[in-house]
Amino acid sequence: MHWRERNISRSMVALVASLSALALLGLWTQLPGWLGRDAGVSDVSPGLLRVAPGAKGVATLGGGVTVSLYPDGMRIVRGQSLLTQTVIGGSMISAVEGRATGTGADTDEHVTRRLSNLSIDELVFLPGRATYFGTVSDGALSMPVVIRIELAGSVIRVGASVNGADGIVWHLDHRPLTTGLRPALTARNLRGTAAWISPGSVEGQGAFSTNLGTDVGVGPGRVARGVDVRADGRIDVHIWSDAGFLTISSYARPQPAPSG
């Protein structure tokens, strides 16, 4: 009888040890994601995108670069190479109210209101520049927005201003191998993480790259800027200013051919 009880006791100890190991493994698996949520970057989701008929279509910026806007989003292309694409089927930009405190990696943002529904009403096209006018809203409050895309030498500058906002968030379509670029961000795959761009990095300097072969920079440089790659399907770029911009390489780097 005592022998049988000892066996049962040992079996229970082994079971508890196994369950504890599994729990620790699950904790370790989730830890990076939890740490990303503690980075001080709030989750700001895209809203609805509405594009008026007169603002739809393709605008040619020169040098083989075109920008197209349709209800499923915006695409910037050079020749046959896709350079960047905004989130599919949602607003490309949100406006936020609140504040960002601290500096660098110790920045913490406090978002009190999100205006994520974007309506583009008008396109004004000049040589080398496409400017879109519209509003961003949350259903109760709306703010005017201006989005300007222009070719600036070796980069494409994608800027937005929202009169009355404390900050803006760009919503880009997620791409594999979204990797930080020094000195703006740590040189590693950013998927599942959120991080603040080093305040010492030059505005517009490349902050991250994707498998499209383009580098993306963020400005202006005097404000808090963050990159959030935690949500499936998108890259969110936070800029704590009522006006901010992205710089995108106008030439995609050749990608290596698959081996084998």
Side-chain angles (χ1 to χ4, degrees):
M1 180 65 70
H2 293 297
W3 174 80
R4 187 171 299 174
E5 289 176 353
R6 283 198 300 270
N7 278 349
I8 293 174
S9 178
R10 289 172 181 170
S11 298
M12 290 297 294
V13 170
L15 177 60
V16 170
S18 298
L19 292 175
S20 299
L22 288 173
L24 287 172
L25 179 60
L27 176 64
W28 181 258
T29 302
Q30 294 298 322
L31 187 58
W34 292 344
L35 290 176
R37 292 182 179 88
D38 290 337
V41 181
S42 298
D43 181 27
V44 178
S45 301
L48 301 175
L49 173 63
R50 186 190 67 82
V51 183
K56 295 177 184 177
V58 179
T60 300
L61 302 182
V65 177
T66 60
V67 53
S68 62
L69 178 63
Y70 292 98
D72 62 345
M74 177 181 285
R75 292 164 58 93
I76 299 176
V77 175
R78 185 182 189 107
Q80 301 299 314
S81 299
L82 176 63
L83 301 179
T84 195
Q85 178 171 336
T86 61
V87 67
I88 298 173
S91 62
M92 66 197 72
I93 193 171
S94 295
V96 296
E97 292 182 341
R99 69 187 190 280
T101 58
T103 60
D106 295 324
T107 302
D108 192 15
E109 65 180 6
H110 308 272
V111 176
T112 58
R113 188 165 198 166
R114 298 165 170 82
L115 294 85
S116 296
N117 297 320
L118 176 64
S119 295
I120 300 296
D121 303 315
E122 182 184 2
L123 164 64
V124 175
F125 179 70
L126 296 172
R129 177 187 298 173
T131 306
Y132 299 89
F133 298 88
T135 57
V136 64
S137 72
D138 62 358
L141 175 67
S142 64
M143 297 178 180
V145 58
V146 179
I147 298 174
R148 181 176 290 112
I149 298 94
E150 55 190 335
L151 188 60
S154 62
V155 301
I156 300 158
R157 185 180 171 112
V158 183
S161 62
V162 182
N163 188 19
D166 294 316
I168 61 175
V169 180
W170 284 99
H171 304 293
L172 305 180
D173 184 45
H174 179 262
R175 291 287 166 174
L177 300 179
T178 299
T179 304
L181 297 174
R182 295 183 183 277
L185 292 170
T186 302
R188 62 182 177 86
N189 194 318
L190 301 176
R191 185 172 180 85
T193 66
W196 292 101
I197 294 174
S198 170
S201 63
V202 178
E203 68 173 27
Q205 167 181 21
F208 63 91
S209 63
T210 74
N211 72 328
L212 293 176
T214 52
D215 297 341
V216 179
V218 186
R222 66 185 183 277
V223 302
R225 299 165 288 163
V227 179
D228 187 352
V229 197
R230 294 172 299 178
D232 288 338
R234 70 180 201 263
I235 303 169
D236 294 334
V237 181
H238 295 227
I239 305 172
W240 277 94
S241 171
D242 63 352
F245 63 89
L246 306 178
T247 58
I248 300 162
S249 304
S250 62
Y251 287 92
R253 294 189 302 274
Q255 297 300 298
S259 59

